[in-house]
Structures are given as C-alpha cells and as structure tokens.
Amino acid sequence: MMIFETVKKFQEWRNTLPKDQTLGFVPTMGALHSGHESLLRFSAHDNDVTVLSIFVNPTQFNNPDDLKNYPNTFEQDLAMAKKLGVDAIFAPKDMNELYPDQYRFKINESEFSKELCGAHRPGHFDGVLTVVMKLFQIVQPTRAYFGEKDHQQLTLIQDMVSSFFLPVQVIPCPTIRETSGLALSSRNLRLTPEEIQVAPKLYQTITEIKDRDRAIKTLKDYGFKIDYLEDRNHRRYVAAALGKVRLIDNVEL
Ligand code: PAF
C-alpha cells in the first residue's frame, strides 16, 4: 500500500496506472470506523484500484474547537486500509498542499447548502465542495463513494458533479448503524459513557415519532440541544448536540 503526502508524488503514481483501469475513491477525514470500512469494501469490489484520502479539511470547520478536537487515529486507519486492500492513501499533512491559493478560490452553492446544516454552520459546504472538487481533480476517480449519513453533503456533491460535468460517478452507500440504531460517526468517539447511552434516542425518535413537534420535544427531554429537525423531499433530517458533540442523522420518510 502506497502512502503519499504530496500532490506531486500522488500524481506521479496516478500517471503510472493503466488508462483502462477503474479507480474507486473514498475521501475521508480519518478516524475510520465501520461506515468507512463499508465504503472501502464497495470500492474494492467495484474497481481495479482503490484510493483512500485522509485530510482533516480546515475550511469546512466553522468552529475552531471542533477542528482542534477532531479525532486522529492515523495508525489504526492505515491498518484498516491495509486489511481492506486499499492500493494508495493520499494523506497531505500540510494545508498548503491542497490550498496553495490560501482558499482564494472556492465552490459556492447558493441554495441547498444554505439550509439545514448549512444554516447552522456558515461556510461549511463551501469548504466541503471545494476540497472534494480539488480531490477529484488530483485523484481522477472513476467512482467516488459517500455515505448516506451525510445526506445533504451527498446531494450537494452529486449536484456539483452534474453541474460541472465532472467525469466521476458518485456512489451513495447506506448508513451503517450500531445495533442500538446510532449512526456511526467519527464524532461518536468524543461522547462520554453517559452520552453513548442516550445518543441512540436520536435515531429511535426520528423514526418512531412521526409528528415533528412531538419528536423535537422528546429529543429535548432526553437532553439533546436541537439545531434542526426538518422533513423535506420525503426525508427527515436532524442535527442535535449531546454535550459538546454535534450528531446528525436522516431517514427516508
Ligand atoms: O464526509 C467527510 O468526511 C468530509 O466532509 C469529506 C467528504 C471527506 C470532505 O472533507
């Protein structure tokens, strides 16, 4: 398994791959869990070559504490990638590697990115879309794999790909959950033992209580601080904090 920290070295390797080989790409911010594992398995199954990127993208964090506290499990991530047959990891350590322009140029979507998570995290989706665009240019994937847990992100990336005629197929992959229903997330690592007991109520409540106001009240009673709980396009989206950890989830209605 090859590991690259610079764009130049990665591209040199990329250029050695035969043109007729398919390349599956799983972009991540590290702290890999079974959700990422499932994306990597889909990629390895569908493609000749699988590339994983690990980069904690500063431009998508509107809260400096959230960035500072983002979990880092790099050695374990490498072990998981190796076990799953990942061919190459692109893991730039230096922000300038991906932002030689100091974020002077960015992708800005003007509608859906301003709603839901976008309304509560100003600039978040500009950061996500910009880094994904950069990664697609560098990695040149045939297919890219994204989890449905971040459904708003997935939708915006699909729309960006079609708007800019990018030659990549975006593959949505189902949310992986604990048996309790809690959606897997790197942020779950930061929940206290008490919060871990309460966190599954998020999924249970949004699936079981159809009435939106009652669902909001129930979550508040469990101690969640709600950013939003909204039903749109036959899907229910929620973001709520437990203590210092902000959790998101969504279900088809
Ligand atoms: O979903 C994530 O982990 C990130 O938003 C992504 C897509 C890797 C961009 O930094």
Side-chain angles (χ1 to χ4, degrees), residues 182 191 194-203 224 242 247:
L182 176 64
L191 292 167
E194 294 75 36
E195 287 164 355
I196 287 174
Q197 301 303 314
V198 181
K201 300 291 179 200
L202 189 66
Y203 175 68
F224 288 91
L242 256 189
L247 301 172

Side-chain angles (χ1 to χ4, degrees), residues 7-236:
V7 174
K8 187 164 176 292
K9 290 268 180 243
F10 179 84
Q11 283 176 327
E12 278 167 15
W13 172 80
R14 177 70 180 93
N15 289 335
T16 65
L17 298 177
K19 295 276 172 280
D20 60 347
Q21 284 201 344
T22 57
L23 189 152
F25 178 41
V26 179
T28 77
M29 299 203 295
L32 302 187
H33 51 65
S34 310
H36 298 112
E37 177 170 341
S38 110
L39 303 182
L40 289 166
R41 283 189 194 283
F42 279 119
S43 173
H45 174 267
D46 297 348
N47 300 282
D48 297 314
V49 172
T50 289
V51 171
L52 163 73
S53 70
I54 299 179
F55 176 66
V56 182
N57 174 37
T59 64
Q60 70 187 75
F61 287 83
N62 57 314
N63 174 348
D65 279 347
D66 195 18
L67 173 60
K68 204 174 75 209
N69 295 323
Y70 203 82
N72 177 333
T73 58
F74 195 68
E75 292 307 318
Q76 284 155 253
D77 296 351
L78 296 191
M80 180 192 280
K82 203 162 183 182
K83 183 188 87 183
L84 297 173
V86 167
D87 297 278
I89 300 187
F90 177 52
K93 294 272 179 301
D94 182 357
M95 180 180 173
N96 293 323
E97 203 52 44
L98 284 184
Y99 292 95
D101 61 335
Q102 306 304 315
Y103 201 33
R104 197 156 61 88
F105 292 92
K106 56 183 84 164
I107 302 284
N108 175 256
E109 191 273 353
S110 56
E111 293 176 13
F112 193 41
S113 74
K114 308 298 176 211
E115 300 174 16
L116 305 173
C117 276
H120 293 268
R121 303 182 68 191
H124 168 65
F125 287 116
D126 289 1
V128 170
L129 294 175
T130 305
V131 81
V132 170
M133 175 65 104
K134 285 170 186 269
L135 290 167
F136 281 177
Q137 298 306 318
I138 297 162
V139 175
Q140 295 179 38
T142 318
R143 302 185 182 90
Y145 296 79
F146 292 90
E148 286 179 339
K149 173 175 163 274
D150 297 301
H151 201 273
Q152 190 178 8
Q153 165 174 288
L154 166 68
T155 306
L156 286 163
I157 291 169
Q158 285 171 321
D159 291 353
M160 176 177 80
V161 162
S162 65
S163 300
F164 288 96
F165 310 100
L166 301 181
V168 50
Q169 209 183 327
V170 174
I171 313 287
C173 303
T175 304
I176 305 295
R177 299 181 181 280
E178 307 274 9
T179 37
S180 64
L182 176 64
L184 294 194
S185 161
S186 307
R187 288 193 164 81
N188 295 355
L189 291 174
R190 290 174 47 215
L191 292 167
T192 64
E194 294 75 36
E195 287 164 355
I196 287 174
Q197 301 303 314
V198 181
K201 300 291 179 200
L202 189 66
Y203 175 68
Q204 288 163 20
T205 305
I206 62 169
T207 43
E208 285 165 17
I209 303 187
K210 300 290 171 233
D211 180 77
R212 180 176 165 269
D213 291 339
R214 218 158 60 76
I216 290 175
K217 182 173 179 320
T218 305
L219 286 173
K220 282 184 177 161
D221 290 346
Y222 282 124
F224 288 91
K225 196 171 152 294
I226 315 281
D227 266 0
Y228 62 82
L229 191 159
E230 287 188 33
D231 297 338
R232 61 182 67 195
N233 306 329
H234 309 290
R235 194 165 281 277
R236 172 169 279 184

